[in-house]
Structure formats: structure tokens, C-alpha cells
Amino acid sequence: MSAAVRRRVIVVTAVHAPSARFLPQAHASLCAQELPDGWEWHWVIQEDGRTDQVRPYVPDDERVTFRQGRPGGPGVARTLALAHADGAYVKVLDADDRLTPGALARDLAALEADPGLGWATSRVLDLLPDGSTAGFPGDPAHGPLERGAVLRFWKANGFRLPVHPATLFVRRELLLSLGGWMALPASEDTGLLLALSAVSRGWFTREVGLLYRKWQGQATGQAAHVDPAERAVRMAVVEARARALARVGWRHPAPVTGGRPASVAGG
């Protein structure tokens, strides 16, 4: 991998027609990011479908790649976008959300400083329709999140995550090794976060890294998203995957045995 590739953060966004109008604001929040010397970001926007309704909102910026594909939900779109992720790190940015100043640099600094960390998250504020923001109680302490901690909290607190998957920043190789996002109609990002926690330590930044837009058309506000029967199935499969990964004993980074990294270690 060339030096140019190693020092690039790929920002991945899944978008469909209703959320396309927010892309210019997401782009503005990216343009406000400052990275260390030698680092750059590239934005991969993947439409969940092939329409003519998204492209008009895609910024005219050489740092932006726009692709389309068969509709399959945001997890499918993000995973397809990985074909164009040629950097060492992948950052999630939903089409209707906005990064706060410094978010990329803080995530990058955490993982560059500690090779034992596989992923990072940060504090979130809801961005309400009137422009005001609202926070959440109960954020974890600033610092590392030990392997398995996210799953334990999620299970003990009614399937509520301690950190927000929409803030995810992750090592590209680790993300690919887990197959990207789960093949679910929703909670695909929860499933990935639980899987990451099962195999790797993470990081939480107490500074706000994302403004999470609340609006009438968002997918998580639809009735299907909270259907009890489907939700129970989704929660069952994401938990089963995370526990299976923990039992298999694969870890990131691979422990060193006999002077060489081991591909698999005992649990």
C-alpha cells in the first residue's frame, strides 16, 4: 500500500432520495475538518438504488466519489462503498448528519496512538428540526472501551447501546475482516458495532463528534423499524453473531506467539 493510501480517511455515506437534500450540509461539515499534515479525507457516497434524484445534491468536489447500486438498505450501500475505500480508516457519516469540527482528527489521533484499538466512537447530540440540540445521559467515560463491554451494556440495558454507531471510525482491514455491515433491514450498524466490540478494544471521545438529525423521513422513525416481532429477530441475530465471534477467539490485533502474530488466539 502506498504512503498516499495509508494516510487517507475514507468517509462512507449511504443515501437514498429522501435524504439527498441534506448532502450539502454533510459536505460542509467535512470541509470544516482539519487533519494532521500528510493526511486527507475522501468521501464515498453510495446511493441505495439507481435514481436521478440524488446526483443533483452530490457536491462538485474532486474528493467526492458518487456511486449507485441495487437497493438493499443502508448496510448494503455502505458495504458496496468499501470497493472504493482505499484508505487505512473508514468513517461513517449518514447523509442527514453533520460532523462537528475536529471529529475526524480526534478519531484518527486515538487510533494512531494505540495500535491495540480497532475502532472509535464519540458523543452525539440530536439535531432537532428547529435547529436546537439535545444530549443523552449516561455516556461512558472518555477513553478505551474494553473488548466485550459494548455487548454487556447492550444486553443489560434493554438493547440500548452505550455509544452511537453513527459515529463509528474503524480500521479498514478490521471492517473488511468482519464482512462490513450486517445483512439486516435495520440495526445493521448495531450488529457491526457489537461484532467489533467482541474482537477489539474501542475508544470513546467525550467531545461531541456528530449532530444526529431528527426529521420525519429518517429510516429509524418509520413504523417498520420498531415493529416488535422484527426487532426481536434483529436483536437475536446481532447478539448471536457477537457471541459467536467471542467464542471463536479471533482478536484484533492478533496476539504474538513465538515471536510471530497469531491469526487466531484462544478465548
Side-chain angles (χ1 to χ4, degrees), residues 36-231:
D37 288 345
W39 283 90
E40 63 181 9
W41 56 261
H42 190 85
W43 193 17
V44 181
I45 301 171
Q46 180 76 36
E47 181 180 354
D48 182 34
R50 297 187 179 98
T51 73
D52 59 2
Q53 300 176 58
V54 172
R55 189 180 295 273
Y57 294 98
V58 175
D60 182 13
D61 186 328
E62 64 182 6
R63 298 168 295 178
V64 177
T65 296
F66 174 62
R67 293 291 184 269
Q68 296 171 301
R70 284 193 291 164
V76 170
R78 294 191 202 104
T79 302
L80 286 174
L82 295 180
H84 311 286
D86 58 355
Y89 299 102
V90 172
K91 173 68 173 179
V92 174
L93 176 60
D94 288 346
D96 49 358
D97 293 342
R98 288 160 42 190
L99 297 176
T100 63
L104 280 187
R106 291 189 291 268
D107 290 340
L108 179 63
L111 268 63
E112 283 285 287
D114 187 348
L117 297 173
W119 51 278
T121 54
S122 60
R123 188 175 175 227
V124 172
L125 293 179
D126 275 350
L127 177 61
L128 304 177
D130 64 1
S132 63
T133 58
F136 303 88
D139 285 329
H142 179 84
L145 296 166
E146 296 305 320
R147 186 167 48 82
V150 173
L151 176 61
R152 290 191 293 272
F153 184 98
W154 177 84
K155 186 66 174 177
N157 291 272
F159 305 137
R160 182 173 66 86
L161 289 168
V163 295
H164 206 303
T167 68
L168 182 65
F169 182 97
V170 60
R171 296 185 190 276
R172 173 178 172 271
E173 291 300 313
L174 176 56
L175 175 60
L176 289 172
S177 72
L178 292 174
W181 285 263
M182 290 189 72
L184 294 170
S187 306
E188 76 293 331
D189 52 358
T190 295
L192 173 59
L193 185 59
L194 291 177
L196 287 167
S197 178
V199 302
S200 173
R201 296 167 66 237
W203 182 266
F204 178 75
T205 298
R206 66 171 172 260
E207 293 182 69
V208 175
L210 187 76
L211 299 180
Y212 181 81
R213 190 184 303 274
K214 306 290 282 188
W215 59 288
Q216 190 173 11
Q218 66 188 141
T220 54
Q222 306 307 305
H225 185 77
V226 294
D227 174 76
E230 183 191 284
R231 183 172 184 270

